[in-house]
Amino acid sequence: MTQEVPGYRKVLTHLQVMVKFSSVTLYPVVLFLNSLLFLVPCAGGAVYSPALTDFVFVVDNISKMFITGPEVIKTVLGEEISMEDLGGARVHSEITGNAHFFALSEEECFDQIKKLITFIPWNNGQKAKMFESGEPKPEYNINKIVPEDPTLPYDVKDVIRAIVDNSDFFEIMELYAKNIVIGFGRMGGRTTGFVANQPLEMAGVLDVDSSDKAARFIRYCDAFNIPIITLVDLPGYLPGVDQEHAGVIRHGAKVLYAYSEATVPKLTVILRKAYGGGYIAMSSRHLRADFVFAWPSAEIAVMGPEGAANIIFRKEIISSADPDGMRKQKVEEYKTKFANPYVAASRGYVDAVIEPSETRKFLMHAIEVSENKDVTMPHKKHGLPPF
Amino acid sequence: MNKDNKLGFLNIDTSLYQTRISNKFQNRSPYKPADPRIILSFIPGTVLEILIEPWQRVTKGEDLMILDAMKMKNKLKCNMDGVVKSIAVKKGDKVSKGTVLLELE
């Protein structure tokens, strides 16, 4: 903490500048915590400096952030904890969600910064630089990634890699709330933000942490003219007392707020499950998505067939001589009637049911068409998102 | 990076989904309704004074302890009529949030 006094003053000036910037989101603010270029550790009021930036990079064993350090915790509580366990790079990447990029070495961190810069524009009046387009790598075969059975997992990042230019997907917050995947890729050379449910982790549910993670990223894309592609495959919100008591309603609402507020092009692809409130939240037509595509495997319904059959056909199942057989029959009935994209499409909530192999073509075309999308919002000082 | 690559099952609306289960979800503590007979520290701090003795009769609203926390001398009040069954801390103890301070009966 030898640099603390001059460093702290620097941080405060920096802080004022950043608050000014972030209130109008004029410039992207990127800051990294590093022994060479910033305070180590970053403690007390100084931590608000990184917290107010758009992206925080941390390096394993070097970066540390906390409001009250181990010393204070020891004096007040008698609890002993190392700086690393309290607020090390790994803690902020995996548990707190304060850091966006985790690197094992400073070199890796610098490479991440260089790469991020290529995806974002210089200011909020511009678009990100165009790059030359390239086809996705053939090893990502989009027809073979998603299993048909909606209860089986797969890695949704492979679907993204099968869609984006050169299969180059730059993930953000890779280690935090892994049940949702966010990051940048390019479609026809244009920077695009991706938000995707990850069925491989926690079945891809929305919960407090994943809602927080997604909502902020959606607002980032909106602030810097980056179109958003949403890939949907989720069973709904995570049930549980801990989630409800942690305020999953308010946190989940952030995703709905962020999507409906965003005026950048919003494209949605429903890969498989899209049930209930989760379906609404994931950039549905109801939240002003510009284009909604669905694969033939899509199931757009109020809940999964098992749950729905149990509720809707409750009486028939209970009064039947063979309740288990009846339940199975009703589940099948529900599956054939509602577990498809066509009911939603007939109501105008889906624009087209497309083959997986056509996804890239359709998305690139949609992005091109909506290139000049311009929405004027009514004047207001600021909105009131469910912070 | 990911030590726990094993797939488990997660039940959402009676459907079982095969997926990785996060540590946070696995380690979550099951919900227990709060027991009014057990007084917990609501804030991390230091026990400054204990105003009651074991087996003393106490009434609702009575001061039980003074907990020095966040530069404040916080009074812990009794939330029911009863008898002090046991006191789990002594004067000067540092306690974290949620520590059992005393039990009533």
Side-chain angles (χ1 to χ4, degrees), chain B residues 39-97:
Chain B
I39 311 279
L40 306 171
S41 80
F42 62 96
I43 194 169
T46 312
V47 177
L48 203 67
E49 233 167 304
I50 299 172
L51 306 167
I52 35 95
E53 276 165 18
W55 303 111
Q56 184 181 326
R57 191 159 284 281
V58 285
T59 50
K60 194 172 173 178
E62 199 177 325
D63 294 343
L64 300 172
M65 255 181 218
I66 296 176
L67 188 66
D68 187 28
M70 294 307 289
K71 296 154 193 137
M72 288 280 285
K73 292 184 176 62
N74 303 279
K75 278 180 188 164
L76 284 169
K77 290 198 184 291
C78 189
N79 51 10
M80 60 178 269
D81 292 343
V83 174
V84 179
K85 192 180 164 194
S86 63
I87 301 173
V89 289
K90 49 185 197 305
K91 201 174 158 178
D93 274 3
K94 280 170 186 156
V95 292
S96 52
K97 191 183 163 182

Side-chain angles (χ1 to χ4, degrees), chain A residues 75-77 79 150-153 175 178 199-203 205 209 235 238-239 241-242 273 275 306-307, chain B residues 1-2 7 10-22 24-25 28 31 44-46 94-96:
Chain A
T75 338
V76 177
L77 296 171
E79 283 176 26
T151 63
L152 293 183
L175 304 173
K178 294 181 199 162
L200 188 58
E201 305 279 350
M202 295 297 287
V205 289
D209 291 347
L238 180 63
V241 180
D242 54 335
K273 307 174 294 292
Y275 296 152
E306 279 83 6
Chain B
M1 194 112 309
N2 196 344
L7 292 172
L10 188 66
N11 186 335
I12 312 273
D13 292 335
T14 69
S15 290
L16 284 179
Y17 295 95
Q18 197 179 30
T19 189
R20 284 183 197 150
I21 309 287
S22 69
K24 191 176 172 181
F25 186 77
R28 75 197 191 285
Y31 170 71
T46 312
K94 280 170 186 156
V95 292
S96 52

Side-chain angles (χ1 to χ4, degrees), chain A residues 216-265:
Chain A
R216 185 182 150 103
F217 179 68
I218 295 158
R219 297 196 93 203
Y220 182 84
C221 291
D222 188 44
F224 291 101
N225 315 311
I226 298 168
I228 303 162
I229 292 178
T230 308
L231 304 180
V232 187
D233 187 352
L234 86 165
Y237 280 87
L238 180 63
V241 180
D242 54 335
Q243 283 291 313
E244 295 292 343
H245 287 188
V248 67
I249 297 177
R250 168 168 53 95
H251 295 287
K254 289 177 190 173
V255 180
L256 285 91
Y257 189 103
Y259 270 126
S260 35
E261 176 195 44
T263 57
V264 291

Side-chain angles (χ1 to χ4, degrees), chain A residues 4 8 10 31 89 125 130 176 183 191 195 272 294 306 344 383-384:
Chain A
E4 185 170 324
Y8 197 76
K10 210 155 91 190
L31 182 82
M130 281 277 280
Y176 180 72
T191 293
V195 179
R272 220 169 44 168
E306 279 83 6
L384 191 56

